[in-house]
Amino acid sequence: MAAAAICVEDEAACAAAECAGIGNLDLAAAGAGAGGKRSVYLMDCAPVWGCASTRGRSTEMEDACAAAPRFADVPVRLLASRRDLDRLGLDADTLRLPAHLFGVFDGHGGAEVASYCRERLQVLLRQELRLLSKDLGETSEADMKEHWDELFTRCFQRLDDEVSGQASRLVGGVQETRPVAAENVGSTAVVAVVCSSHVVVANCGDSRVVLCRGKEPLELSIDHKPDRKDERARIEALGGKVIQWNGYRVSGILAMSRSIGMYIASGTKSWQNDLFPFLSGM
Amino acid sequence: MVGLVGGSTARAEHVVANAGGEAEYVRRMHRHAPTEHQCTSTLVKHIKAPVHLVWELVRRFDQPQRYKPFVRNCVVRGDQLEVGSLRDVNVKTGLPATTSTERLEQLDDDLHILGVKFVGGDHRLQNYSSIITVHPESIDGRPGTLVIESFVVDVPDGNTKDETCYFVEAVIKCNLNSLAEVSEQLAVESPTSLIDQ
């Protein structure tokens, strides 16, 4: 039975969601047959996880990673259509799957933003998932993708706003509006939400999620690189420029096209966009 | 707003009003003689802080990190800080360089001129030479500072003049904006500014 359980778990589908306007959430519901097996939606998915990090060539560690087992429950209708759930005899309106969160945040210019993301993103996601449960109407597969995309976009945008001081945050019980770090400090953010039936991935920047299934690696995230055709077009449409200077860089300076934080200049909106047009919500 | 003043091959964008005074300073103090394979440009920044505060930040050849956001730390070689001194600048992560070795070419506390030349590092900026000058001016009836920074540099293989200018200007704009923030913050905190008013 244990072996069968593992086998069923291994059939879970995987999907990647690009944050900030690149809606490519690809959900494939995996329902086990009614037969003798428990539905994949009812199986307990206990995470076995580990973390290893090294500062590499840097002189300081600026990375952060988050692991939050059972950080929230996901309404099952974010993962499967009502029709499929009905067919399996599951209660589409009340069933929630325990979910686990894993994230990597690679800081640049300093560690403050990465550390902030590590603590804060799971709180924001938990809040959004709780709110979302009241908002699910008749959810088709396309709607599921939209919900996940909107959910992650709101979380990443809020995170970005708090980091920059555009939104207040609670520090020691007091509302704080000063930026988390200087304007030249930022971080990537790539997160995976794991439950028994699905892995949902959202990305901002050039960190990466790879699934190892048996011997085959499968990329679940797409890097935000300045020389990606769509990213370059977006940057140039905003008046920025991609220059090859030890790699392709925004203004010749930053090697990723989207980032949490890293604004580098106060001033008018157009100025800000002109230099670093990669707010996560843009 | 950081403005651009026309240099030998600079783009005539963002021409600043009141270019008379600036143009005169540029003509007298920001002369570069670029070769065919070099580019040059001049940028200006108006800062709402007295000139002595701004100059104190600009002139610290041994502590560029006080206002330059991309500098992690800086070590000056030797004991005496004088024209000809070298500094080794370490750059923060995520940027297209890790170190820069720079020579102090000019430091005039009366005319408020700082000249620096890059002599080493992994930034691809060969024969980079810059001049920064600060000048007293009045902004909204209060003592302010006009900062002018000009540079000349080789165009690296694989890049165009436009790209090279764009990149260097982007870095200088970051530096000048940060200089404005730091010095305006100091002006607010400084009791001297109250006495001045």
Side-chain angles (χ1 to χ4, degrees):
Chain A
M1 193 56 199
I6 292 170
C7 181
V8 172
E9 275 181 344
D10 205 35
E11 292 167 7
C14 311
E18 285 286 339
C19 179
I22 304 181
N24 246 335
L25 191 65
D26 180 29
L27 278 174
K37 297 178 179 174
R38 295 174 62 201
S39 162
V40 68
Y41 302 105
L42 296 177
M43 298 186 65
D44 194 15
C45 171
V48 178
W49 63 273
C51 169
S53 60
T54 171
R55 59 186 166 85
R57 292 168 295 137
S58 300
T59 55
E60 291 149 21
M61 168 56 80
E62 291 176 336
D63 302 345
C65 59
R70 301 186 189 283
F71 87 107
D73 292 327
V74 173
V76 73
R77 281 191 299 130
L78 274 183
L79 304 167
S81 68
R82 179 182 290 276
R83 186 182 69 247
D84 289 343
L85 294 167
D86 286 348
R87 205 164 50 223
L88 292 167
L90 300 174
D91 185 347
D93 291 313
T94 59
L95 181 59
R96 303 174 69 92
L97 275 63
H100 322 289
L101 178 74
F102 301 96
V104 169
F105 312 95
D106 182 355
H108 42 264
E112 299 95 319
V113 173
S115 298
Y116 186 77
C117 291
R118 173 183 56 204
E119 306 302 328
R120 183 67 177 149
L121 184 53
Q122 57 183 285
V123 175
L124 294 172
L125 273 171
R126 193 180 301 124
Q127 287 170 6
E128 285 291 332
L129 283 167
R130 198 176 300 136
L131 290 176
L132 200 53
S133 62
K134 309 167 185 171
D135 200 18
L136 294 168
E138 195 59 36
T139 309
S140 69
E141 184 166 314
D143 292 331
M144 284 179 245
K145 301 178 186 179
E146 272 186 39
H147 281 308
W148 280 109
D149 186 46
E150 288 170 8
L151 184 152
F152 278 117
T153 299
R154 279 197 299 275
C155 289
F156 278 49
Q157 183 65 65
R158 173 74 193 195
L159 197 57
D160 195 52
D161 288 345
E162 289 181 5
V163 162
S164 68
Q166 292 177 47
S168 63
R169 55 199 167 92
L170 274 180
V171 178
V174 177
Q175 287 292 326
E176 172 70 78
T177 55
R178 282 178 302 172
V180 166
E183 290 155 342
N184 62 307
V185 186
S187 179
T188 67
V190 66
V191 296
V193 174
V194 180
C195 51
S196 59
S197 61
H198 288 79
V199 177
V200 186
V201 173
N203 179 48
C204 172
D206 63 354
S207 293
R208 197 172 295 165
V209 169
V210 178
L211 174 72
C212 293
R213 169 190 273 163
K215 298 174 182 174
E216 291 299 320
L218 179 61
E219 290 184 26
L220 297 189
S221 61
I222 306 173
D223 292 359
H224 287 128
K225 288 294 194 180
D227 56 332
R228 227 174 78 180
K229 194 174 296 182
D230 55 339
E231 285 294 279
R232 181 170 199 149
R234 182 181 65 83
I235 291 163
E236 290 176 348
L238 289 161
K241 196 173 173 67
V242 176
I243 295 172
Q244 193 175 16
W245 205 279
N246 287 335
Y248 286 96
R249 296 173 180 268
V250 183
S251 296
I253 295 175
L254 198 77
M256 65 194 75
S257 57
R258 293 175 193 250
S259 172
I260 307 289
M262 178 59 99
Y263 310 103
I264 260 311
S266 57
T268 66
K269 179 71 174 172
S270 63
W271 159 249
Q272 183 171 311
N273 285 340
D274 184 39
L275 189 57
F276 288 122
F278 42 72
L279 296 178
S280 62
M282 194 168 287
Chain B
M1 185 62 192
V2 181
L4 215 64
V5 174
S8 302
T9 60
R11 299 181 293 275
E13 301 171 11
H14 315 294
V15 175
V16 183
N18 184 33
E22 292 161 16
E24 180 61 21
Y25 291 136
V26 170
R27 192 184 62 79
R28 286 195 290 111
M29 307 167 98
H30 288 268
R31 294 174 174 272
H32 297 280
T35 68
E36 181 187 354
H37 302 291
Q38 291 184 317
C39 68
T40 183
S41 186
T42 305
L43 297 90
V44 302
K45 176 72 177 178
H46 299 273
I47 298 181
K48 300 178 179 178
V51 67
H52 73 274
L53 281 182
V54 178
W55 177 241
E56 271 306 304
L57 288 165
V58 166
R59 75 180 296 285
R60 292 300 300 269
F61 182 72
D62 56 332
Q63 289 185 33
Q65 68 271 28
R66 289 187 68 196
Y67 80 90
K68 293 190 175 185
F70 294 140
V71 173
R72 188 160 55 79
N73 57 43
C74 169
V75 178
V76 175
R77 302 183 187 180
D79 294 327
Q80 203 70 18
L81 182 52
E82 58 199 349
V83 168
S85 292
L86 295 178
R87 68 184 178 189
D88 291 299
V89 175
N90 291 303
V91 177
K92 287 185 177 177
T93 57
L95 302 168
T98 60
T99 64
S100 178
T101 303
E102 304 172 3
R103 183 176 187 273
L104 177 57
E105 299 279 287
Q106 193 175 3
L107 178 57
D108 190 322
D109 280 306
D110 296 319
L111 296 179
H112 297 147
I113 307 174
L114 176 77
V116 173
K117 186 182 175 99
F118 288 6
V119 298
D122 56 2
H123 38 59
R124 302 177 74 230
L125 295 169
Q126 296 297 312
N127 292 312
Y128 178 92
S129 184
S130 81
I131 298 173
I132 306 177
T133 60
V134 305
H135 314 270
E137 66 173 3
S138 179
I139 302 177
D140 301 331
R142 295 187 174 192
T145 303
L146 167 67
V147 182
I148 308 178
E149 180 159 2
S150 62
F151 68 88
V152 62
V153 66
D154 291 359
V155 176
D157 287 343
N159 290 104
T160 65
K161 282 188 180 183
D162 263 3
E163 285 174 340
T164 307
C165 262
Y166 192 100
F167 166 63
V168 177
E169 284 166 1
V171 176
I172 293 176
K173 285 173 183 173
C174 293
N175 290 340
L176 292 180
N177 282 325
S178 178
L179 175 63
E181 282 191 24
V182 174
S183 47
E184 285 168 1
Q185 184 64 38
L186 287 176
V188 168
E189 293 166 358
S190 167
T192 307
S193 68
L194 294 179
I195 299 176
D196 286 348
Q197 289 164 18

